[in-house]
Amino acid sequence: MIKKYTYGKPIQTDATVIPLNATVGMPAPFTVTETETGVQFAYAMDRDDAVFGLGEQLRGMNKRGWIYESWNYDDPSITEGRSCLYGAHNFILIFGKKTFGAFFDCGGKVTFDIGYSDPDLLTVCAKDVDVYVIEGENALDIVKKFRTLIGPSYIPPKWAFGYAQSKWGYKCEADIRTVYEGYRREDIPLDMIYLDIDYMQDYKDFTVNVERYPDLPALSAELKADGVYLVPIIDAAVKVQAGYSVYEEGVEKGYFCTDKEGEPFVIGVWPGDSLLPDVLNPAARLWFGSQYKALLDQGIEGFWNDMNEPAIFYSKTRLQSALGEVAKAVGKNLQVEEFNEVTGNFHHLANSLADYDSFYHNAPDGRHVHTDAHNLYGYNMTRGAAEYFEEYAPDRRFLLFSRSSYIGLHRYAGIWTGDNCSWWSHLKHNIAMMPGLDMCGFLYAGADLGGHGDRTTEELMLRWLAFGIFEPLLRNHATQGTRDQEFYIFKDKKAFRNLLGIRYSILPYLYSEFVTCAKNGGMLSRPLCFDYPDDARARTVEDQLLIGDSIMIAPVIEQNARGRYVYVPARMKMIRMKAGDRYTERIVEKGEYYIEVPLDEIVFFLKEGKVMPLAKPAKNVASLDEEHLTWLKFISEPTQYRICRDDGFSKSSLENFETVTVEP
Ligand code: MIG
């Protein structure tokens, strides 16, 4: 049962796909009060209630005990004390005495105080918002109802489930070849190499620097023939430069965001002075999407969209005024207060509210100041590309994912979770974030494996990989200037080869489960309590996950650990894998165990009554042999499994499932 309530005049977000009439009255079980800035929804939590959801957010799986903001933000240092990240996923699931879901559909800022101000009180504050209260039989049923409301999830081509190497710092064709050859030389699987902003000419979207990449189509074709795809980045802002067609055409058509007076609003990001395409205007959105053709025509089939919160280093106007203030101080003997004032001009240039308050969108439902539609920007930038791909090749699936997002984007693309660090705490955070993302429809998702900022270690890489092989988006990415973290540079290459090989062995399972969940609103990763709701202990487990219908994982997330304690909520079969075709199994009863997990092994648990297909390890998705599958099984009677037999590329073949009966 879903009920909708409307407060104020919400902006059209297109988050939902099923039209509902608003109900009059209280959105029980919330109580509502008007505040100076909008409306507050309150719910008194029971002592043992857990609160899940919020997708890409900070802290644990259970969100209780902190205050969160939905305000898409380019955060170069993700630490525990913060309140917002790159996405706004305003769905929460209260799990406990009363289990129910709520979605706060609003393009602007929303605050979730989940036991921060008062440990037992949940409050949500917003302005101009549609609230959906969702009831159902149990947690998963509520999630499924919500997902029906917001529509099915994006499904990328199958090769996007392979392993990807990325780094900001690969500058030219030779660098790409080094990576490709490194993986091939050490016989470590590889499906994708990413191109960061250095492939562009002067950071101009949809251009290629031909000195660095003399023949991108040839390079792309050559690598693709060996199953390796090139995936370039696209930034949100467009460089201001005479003669640059995207800039000139956009200005001529009035497709960029404007200031109060209707003049293009100039910001500074990587290309220097730049303009933001007005992606809330459907015509401008599709026009921006159609620019991807320049790269599609060169054989590119996948993209990652960056800087689309939108991130702003500075606005031209405010930078000029800051520089003016500094100029006035030149040669002066400044008192401390004056010094603070002068330098303060520079402290808040990036991503400032003053700037977000200064430009406008021409949306179908009117002209909006950006602040009110802020969280919809990255969503619509990415949607534009997806809408164009549909025109370009209607039945073809392209790889597309975004940094910034809002619920609704999940129908068009995936996301990655932004600039994490090579910290053990961020590995743990990665695990905690996955179920929230799944609840909100973002199934094709993942974090920068090994960490984006700071210095990784071989041990952290291996442990992160041992978790990452269960995540749909498996990409090793790091920022410029950090220690190299390509797998082939580490000492124990065999360990990387074997662990990553297991990803390909479990791919028939992961992929079938993914496609099923994307279509029917299921969750690929779930907190333990979703499957074991009456188990009080299961509700507190923050570092184990159920993955798909058959298995549970318990990754090692501590430095120098030889293993870890695992809570087994029911009788299961423990699988210890050295490689996809080399493993041992042992039945474990419900309880807590210390499990040894060497760095070059993966341990996971098969639920009783379930089976799981296994393929032989492969060097990439293209060469995966899915005809000769073996089965992991913990069954006493013949058991059916639905395996996806699509062609990996088309939308129409996604209907092809084969039901296999596995004998005990
Ligand atoms: O201001 O393109 O999150 O993955 O490597 C930084 C350079 C811009 C941020 C992305 C990161 C990417 C980087 N980008």
Side-chain angles (χ1 to χ4, degrees):
M1 222 276 279
I2 305 182
K3 278 192 175 169
K4 174 183 173 182
Y5 305 84
T6 298
Y7 295 86
K9 264 191 87 197
I11 285 181
Q12 179 186 335
T13 68
D14 295 345
T16 63
V17 295
I18 296 176
L20 287 182
N21 290 329
T23 306
V24 185
M26 275 287 166
F30 293 104
T31 53
V32 182
T33 43
E34 284 195 16
T35 66
E36 267 170 36
T37 50
V39 221
Q40 175 181 288
F41 306 87
Y43 177 71
M45 294 183 287
D46 192 61
R47 254 287 112 112
D48 292 327
D49 282 355
V51 180
F52 297 108
L54 292 187
E56 183 185 85
Q57 255 299 0
L58 291 129
R59 303 242 168 176
M61 232 179 258
N62 179 355
K63 295 290 173 214
R64 191 163 176 170
W66 190 241
I67 182 162
Y68 309 86
E69 257 176 15
S70 284
W71 183 256
N72 294 351
Y73 193 77
D74 172 15
D75 193 340
S77 70
I78 298 171
T79 52
E80 231 181 280
R82 303 205 45 97
S83 275
C84 55
L85 292 172
Y86 310 85
H89 307 151
N90 305 335
F91 173 75
I92 49 174
L93 183 111
I94 292 87
F95 185 106
K97 197 165 176 192
K98 178 169 173 58
T99 298
F100 66 100
F103 173 43
F104 299 85
D105 192 8
C106 164
K109 184 182 281 187
V110 184
T111 308
F112 297 85
D113 181 334
I114 311 183
Y116 168 77
S117 302
D118 170 340
D120 298 310
L121 192 66
L122 162 72
T123 59
V124 181
C125 291
K127 194 181 90 181
D128 299 312
V129 58
D130 282 322
V131 182
Y132 297 83
V133 178
I134 306 156
E135 296 187 333
E137 278 161 35
N138 53 43
L140 190 59
D141 181 50
I142 291 165
V143 168
K144 283 191 170 182
K145 289 201 161 80
F146 172 57
R147 296 271 295 286
T148 306
L149 178 70
I150 61 172
S153 299
Y154 160 78
I155 301 175
K158 192 166 190 175
W159 51 263
F161 286 79
Y163 169 72
Q165 180 63 56
S166 180
K167 172 141 182 154
W168 182 11
Y170 301 155
K171 286 219 164 13
C172 56
E173 176 166 335
D175 292 346
I176 301 301
R177 287 192 184 278
T178 303
V179 173
Y180 168 67
E181 282 153 18
Y183 277 93
R184 283 292 177 262
R185 184 182 62 241
E186 300 301 339
D187 194 23
I188 302 173
L190 183 69
D191 274 87
M192 289 158 268
I193 303 176
Y194 279 65
L195 305 180
D196 209 316
I197 45 177
D198 296 313
Y199 82 87
M200 297 181 201
Q201 180 68 48
D202 307 324
Y203 301 126
K204 281 185 295 200
D205 277 339
F206 316 111
T207 67
V208 176
N209 180 322
V210 289
E211 264 159 44
R212 295 175 174 186
Y213 293 90
D215 194 346
L216 184 67
L219 179 67
S220 159
E222 179 193 331
L223 296 186
K224 236 199 265 188
D226 193 26
V228 176
Y229 290 76
L230 292 177
V231 184
I233 195 170
I234 302 292
D235 277 6
V238 169
K239 186 176 176 68
V240 172
Q241 191 184 60
Y244 172 37
S245 65
V246 185
Y247 162 71
E248 290 191 336
E249 222 180 284
V251 170
E252 191 194 303
K253 295 189 159 139
Y255 283 168
F256 291 113
C257 294
T258 50
D259 63 18
K260 210 168 190 157
E261 280 71 49
E263 293 301 316
F265 184 74
V266 183
I267 63 164
V269 265
W270 289 104
D273 281 2
S274 312
L275 300 179
L276 289 165
D278 182 6
V279 290
L280 263 71
N281 168 352
R285 177 168 77 224
L286 190 59
W287 165 80
F288 188 74
S290 71
Q291 306 301 322
Y292 286 69
K293 182 171 194 298
L295 290 157
L296 293 169
D297 286 348
Q298 298 183 55
I300 299 298
E301 296 183 54
F303 301 88
W304 49 309
N305 284 348
D306 192 20
M307 303 291 282
N308 52 6
E309 291 67 33
I312 295 180
F313 293 166
Y314 56 83
S315 67
K316 191 160 189 173
T317 321
R318 289 180 64 249
L319 176 63
Q320 290 310 318
S321 105
L323 290 169
E325 293 304 314
V326 174
K328 284 187 215 153
V330 172
K332 256 180 147 183
N333 173 6
L334 297 177
Q335 299 306 298
V336 168
E337 292 78 10
E338 294 170 305
F339 163 80
N340 285 340
E341 209 173 297
V342 172
T343 54
N345 281 299
F346 287 97
H347 289 166
H348 304 289
L349 280 182
N351 308 320
S352 89
L353 272 182
D355 285 334
Y356 292 135
D357 269 333
S358 307
F359 64 95
Y360 294 80
H361 297 279
N362 288 315
D365 56 346
R367 190 164 194 243
H368 302 305
V369 62
H370 176 77
T371 310
D372 291 342
H374 177 69
N375 290 340
L376 308 177
Y377 192 86
Y379 159 28
N380 281 289
M381 173 205 174
T382 305
R383 180 182 177 185
E387 285 170 344
Y388 178 70
F389 297 165
E390 184 88 28
E391 276 185 14
Y392 185 83
D395 194 36
R396 187 93 176 163
R397 281 139 62 192
F398 292 89
L399 170 59
L400 180 65
F401 61 91
S402 173
R403 189 170 72 176
S404 183
S405 58
Y406 184 81
I407 289 172
L409 169 70
H410 71 285
R411 299 193 299 272
Y412 300 97
I415 58 169
W416 94 98
T417 57
D419 298 348
N420 62 1
C421 281
S422 299
W423 300 338
W424 291 91
S425 61
H426 278 185
L427 166 55
K428 185 172 183 208
H429 186 215
N430 184 185
I431 297 168
M433 217 193 263
M434 297 315 287
L437 291 173
D438 277 22
M439 283 177 210
C440 299
F442 295 96
L443 296 186
Y444 190 74
D448 286 351
L449 191 93
H452 175 264
D454 221 329
R455 291 169 292 169
T456 201
T457 63
E458 180 158 347
E459 185 191 5
L460 179 61
M461 282 314 289
L462 280 169
R463 293 301 196 197
W464 211 318
L465 176 60
F467 165 63
I469 64 159
F470 297 100
E471 273 186 71
L473 167 49
L474 174 58
R475 182 180 73 144
N476 178 349
H477 178 55
T479 191
Q480 57 181 355
T482 53
R483 186 179 184 189
D484 288 344
Q485 60 187 47
E486 292 77 16
F487 288 171
Y488 56 80
I489 62 137
F490 291 107
K491 192 170 174 197
D492 192 353
K493 298 176 180 37
K494 188 165 162 236
F496 284 94
R497 186 182 307 131
N498 286 346
L499 292 196
L500 185 51
I502 295 174
R503 159 66 158 219
Y504 291 79
S505 293
I506 66 169
L507 202 62
Y509 172 74
L510 198 67
Y511 187 69
S512 301
E513 297 290 318
F514 179 97
V515 173
T516 304
C517 290
K519 288 169 164 231
N520 76 6
M523 287 166 67
L524 188 69
S525 18
R526 299 180 303 288
L528 264 47
C529 63
F530 270 55
D531 290 25
Y532 307 96
D534 302 324
D535 182 338
R537 172 78 195 268
R539 202 178 295 183
T540 66
V541 177
E542 288 271 329
D543 58 358
Q544 299 176 207
L545 287 172
L546 297 151
I547 302 283
D549 193 38
S550 302
I551 66 171
M552 177 183 84
I553 61 167
V556 174
I557 52 173
E558 267 169 35
Q559 179 172 312
N560 292 318
R562 299 289 171 91
R564 57 162 289 170
Y565 284 95
V566 178
Y567 179 60
V568 180
R571 196 161 183 254
M572 292 184 183
K573 200 179 246 186
M574 180 170 99
I575 314 286
R576 176 178 293 281
M577 271 193 179
K578 272 257 177 227
D581 46 4
R582 268 188 297 140
Y583 56 87
T584 58
E585 38 181 70
R586 172 162 80 87
I587 291 173
V588 286
E589 302 298 329
K590 173 179 164 132
E592 188 175 41
Y593 298 87
Y594 183 81
I595 309 266
E596 299 228 348
V597 189
L599 274 174
D600 59 354
E601 286 182 11
I602 285 176
V603 174
F604 63 91
F605 299 81
L606 182 65
K607 291 168 74 177
E608 190 163 24
K610 301 292 177 185
V611 297
M612 176 184 187
L614 275 185
K616 282 237 185 285
K619 68 167 185 175
N620 52 33
V621 172
S623 58
L624 193 66
D625 175 6
E626 297 206 57
E627 292 314 311
H628 303 93
L629 299 175
T630 56
W631 293 86
L632 289 173
K633 42 195 174 182
F634 188 14
I635 50 174
S636 50
E637 51 190 47
T639 303
Q640 292 193 327
Y641 189 82
R642 286 185 77 239
I643 193 157
C644 184
R645 294 287 193 193
D646 72 327
D647 61 16
F649 298 99
S650 70
K651 293 178 187 162
S652 47
S653 71
L654 279 167
E655 300 301 322
N656 300 349
F657 273 82
E658 181 195 351
T659 301
V660 181
T661 302
V662 184
E663 300 297 330

